[in-house]
């Protein structure tokens, strides 16, 4: 079954509360619509949308995002998924469906603590299908940010990633509710409920960061034998990414006039910034021909290679791209088993007696002209 041909998996619905995306809607389509709504809606309502767009920038490459879908990302359940921490921290609502006794039954599943039950497993039953994902609008006192650390800045899998979703008291920096999700620290995307509970009722300050750092190290231990190695580095990344999130949210609170910008040392403010690889540019230099040269004269003119466009767009068909056909046969060279030997006799009878062997070809099957190959000696 091709999910992109199932219309129920391609639905996009907008409401006062947010946007619903079908499970098979491509990541680029999600990105495009979210960018439109970020431009049109108040900033306070689109913070989850902005967080998603920011993370999708680092999600594989554009060719992958053109065909990959969010439903596949969720159901695959990779422990280093880029989007699962964002959706887990945001507490996204999933809609699943199944046929029971010939009737279609739907239910909502909360993507948060307890959703992932093990490596690449979740609470959605084997007979159920993920229909879509709800992206809720944020509130004025809610902030959500996500960060990813990989070996390369773009187009690489994460070592550790994190998403922080925090809601403050009305026009204050007092934490009312917070959810933190991390990838790369367990066989699944994990949340940190104990550390989150510790933060409730606390001011968003440096003192809180110190307490959180200590708590996260305890709540998210990583065994020395954990797959992927780099144990100390990954544990340090959890704290580092939280600190980056703390700085980013502190600056947003400061911009809203809730906290004083002076409370954050100047040398720490750049820690909230993210780096983007500059857009790559290329140029091809060639000599220009005289203006009076006839258009039919190709000498000196740049010519596009006949296959260049198809190769550049990935549309060129190579041998390995052609699907196998029924009754297809394969060709293989029969090589001498002795070096520098003179072949005195060729007997293919034993091979031809095998099932599936159709024919043996040698120099006798070629004309004298067809066998004349080689740049120096025309007798190979």
């Amino acid at each position: 079954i091709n999910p992109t041909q199932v219309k129920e998996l391609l639905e996009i619905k907008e409401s006062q509360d947010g946007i619903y995306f079908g499970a098979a809607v491509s990541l680029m389509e999600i990105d495009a619509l979210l960018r439109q709504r970020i431009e049109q809606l108040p900033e306070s309502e689109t913070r989850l949308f902005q967080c998603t767009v920011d993370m999708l920038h680092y999600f594989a490459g554009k060719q992958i995002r053109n065909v990959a879908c969010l439903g596949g990302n969720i159901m695959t359940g990779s422990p280093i998924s880029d989007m699962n921490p964002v959706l887990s921290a945001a507490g996204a609502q999933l809609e699943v469906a199944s046929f029971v006794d010939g009737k279609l039954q739907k239910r909502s599943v909360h993507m948060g603590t307890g959703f992932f039950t093990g490596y690449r497993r979740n609470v959605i039953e084997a007979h159920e299908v993920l229909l879509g994902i709800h992206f809720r609008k944020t509130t004025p006192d809610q902030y959500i940010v996500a960060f990813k650390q990989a070996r390369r800045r773009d187009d690489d899998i994460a070592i550790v990633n994190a998403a922080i979703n925090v809601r403050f008291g009305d026009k204050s920096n007092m934490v009312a509710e917070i959810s933190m999700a991390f990838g790369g620290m367990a066989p699944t995307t994990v949340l940190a409920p104990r550390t989150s509970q510790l933060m409730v009722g606390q001011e968003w300050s440096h003192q809180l960061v110190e307490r959180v750092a200590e708590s996260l190290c305890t709540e998210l231990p990583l065994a020395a034998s954990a797959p992927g190695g780099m144990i100390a580095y990954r544990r340090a990344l959890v704290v580092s990414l939280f600190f980056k999130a703390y700085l980013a949210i502190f600056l947003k609170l400061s911009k809203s006039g809730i906290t004083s910008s002076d409370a954050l040392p100047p040398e720490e403010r750049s820690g909230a910034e993210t780096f983007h690889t500059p857009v790559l540019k290329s140029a091809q230099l060639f000599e220009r021909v005289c203006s009076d040269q006839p258009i039919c004269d190709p000498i000196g003119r740049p010519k596009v290679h006949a296959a260049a466009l198809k190769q550049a767009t990935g549309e060129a068909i190579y041998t390995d791209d052609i699907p196998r056909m029924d009754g297809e046969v394969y060709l293989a060279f029969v090589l001498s088993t002795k070096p520098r030997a003179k072949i005195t006799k060729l007997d293919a009878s034993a091979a031809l007696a095998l099932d599936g062997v159709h024919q043996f070809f040698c120099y006798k099957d070629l004309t004298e002209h067809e066998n004349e190959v080689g740049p120096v000696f025309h007798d190979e």
Side-chain angles (χ1 to χ4, degrees):
I1 297 173
N2 182 355
T4 62
Q5 301 300 312
V6 182
K7 64 179 183 179
E8 291 85 354
L9 301 182
L10 299 174
E11 293 181 342
I12 298 177
K13 307 173 189 172
E14 298 189 58
S15 66
Q16 290 294 323
D17 298 327
I19 306 175
Y20 169 88
F21 290 104
V25 175
S26 74
L27 297 176
M28 285 302 290
E29 289 179 273
I30 293 174
D31 181 89
L33 182 60
L34 292 182
R35 288 180 185 273
Q36 289 179 13
R37 297 301 172 263
I38 289 169
E39 292 290 326
Q40 298 165 353
L41 297 172
E43 183 273 336
S44 61
E45 294 183 3
T46 62
R47 289 167 186 163
L48 173 58
F49 301 171
Q50 186 64 59
C51 179
T52 300
V53 166
D54 292 342
M55 185 54 75
L56 286 178
H57 172 81
Y58 298 105
F59 192 113
K62 187 172 286 187
Q63 291 93 334
I64 298 295
R65 295 196 295 271
N66 277 329
V67 293
C69 61
L70 201 54
N73 202 231
I74 295 169
M75 297 306 291
T76 301
S78 169
I80 49 173
S81 159
D82 292 333
M83 279 304 300
N84 283 345
V86 175
L87 297 172
S88 296
Q93 288 293 122
L94 310 180
E95 189 171 320
V96 302
S98 61
F99 269 111
V100 179
D101 297 328
K103 295 181 180 179
L104 181 66
Q105 294 188 356
K106 296 182 181 181
R107 69 183 180 106
S108 292
V109 175
H110 178 76
M111 195 170 172
T113 303
F115 175 76
F116 291 105
T117 58
Y119 180 66
R120 297 187 182 274
R121 297 197 307 273
N122 57 52
V123 297
I124 296 177
E125 302 288 342
H127 64 277
E128 292 179 316
V129 172
L130 175 60
L131 290 182
I133 306 99
H134 291 275
F135 278 72
R136 287 184 298 209
K137 293 177 182 177
T138 48
T139 58
D141 50 15
Q142 181 183 3
Y143 297 87
I144 180 166
V145 294
F147 299 103
K148 167 184 176 179
Q149 180 64 45
R151 289 173 179 82
R152 294 190 302 272
R153 193 170 294 159
D154 295 316
D155 200 3
D156 196 8
I157 58 174
I159 301 171
V160 172
N161 46 28
I164 315 296
N165 177 22
V166 58
R167 186 174 60 81
F168 296 99
D170 186 33
K171 295 182 180 179
S172 77
N173 68 337
M174 200 75 72
V175 177
E177 185 180 356
I178 186 168
S179 180
M180 300 186 290
F182 297 90
M185 292 302 292
T188 68
T189 297
V190 290
L191 287 92
R194 291 202 301 273
T195 304
S196 298
Q197 189 58 43
L198 172 151
M199 300 170 71
V200 174
Q202 305 295 315
E203 285 190 352
W204 197 253
S205 64
H206 262 284
Q207 289 75 23
L208 181 62
V209 171
E210 293 176 9
R211 295 182 63 190
V212 168
E214 186 177 338
S215 179
L216 284 175
C217 290
T218 304
E219 189 170 5
L220 299 177
L222 205 56
S225 59
M230 300 187 290
I231 307 303
Y233 179 52
R234 285 154 70 187
R235 294 187 69 182
L237 277 177
V238 169
V239 177
S240 296
L241 293 180
F242 170 76
F243 184 59
K244 194 173 184 72
Y246 161 78
L247 294 174
I249 294 172
F250 191 98
L251 289 177
K252 291 178 180 180
L253 290 172
S254 174
K255 190 175 180 180
S256 300
I258 294 172
T259 58
S260 170
S261 59
D262 297 334
L264 195 65
E267 63 271 16
E268 291 183 358
R269 292 175 191 172
S270 63
E273 298 173 2
T274 55
F275 297 93
H276 287 281
T277 302
V279 176
L280 298 176
K281 296 181 179 179
S282 60
Q284 185 176 14
L285 302 179
F286 54 88
E287 184 179 349
R288 297 184 64 181
V289 299
C290 297
S291 59
D292 56 352
Q293 179 171 320
I295 193 68
C296 59
D297 182 357
I299 304 302
R301 296 186 186 276
K303 301 293 288 183
V304 177
H305 189 282
L309 294 177
K310 286 195 172 183
Q311 289 173 337
T313 58
E315 295 175 279
I317 298 177
Y318 292 84
T319 306
D320 282 353
D321 298 326
I322 302 172
R324 290 198 301 172
M325 301 171 64
D326 286 341
E328 189 173 85
V329 294
Y330 296 85
L331 182 75
F333 288 110
V334 180
L335 306 176
S336 172
T337 57
K338 303 287 185 182
R340 300 178 63 83
K342 186 174 182 179
I343 299 173
T344 59
K345 181 183 178 183
L346 288 172
D347 184 3
S349 57
L352 290 170
L354 296 173
D355 184 38
V357 178
H358 297 281
Q359 188 59 272
F360 170 72
F361 298 97
C362 68
Y363 71 98
K364 294 178 182 178
D365 297 291
L366 301 174
T367 66
E368 185 178 350
H369 171 69
E370 288 170 335
N371 203 34
E372 286 185 351
V373 295
V376 180
F377 297 102
H378 302 283
D379 61 351
E380 295 185 19

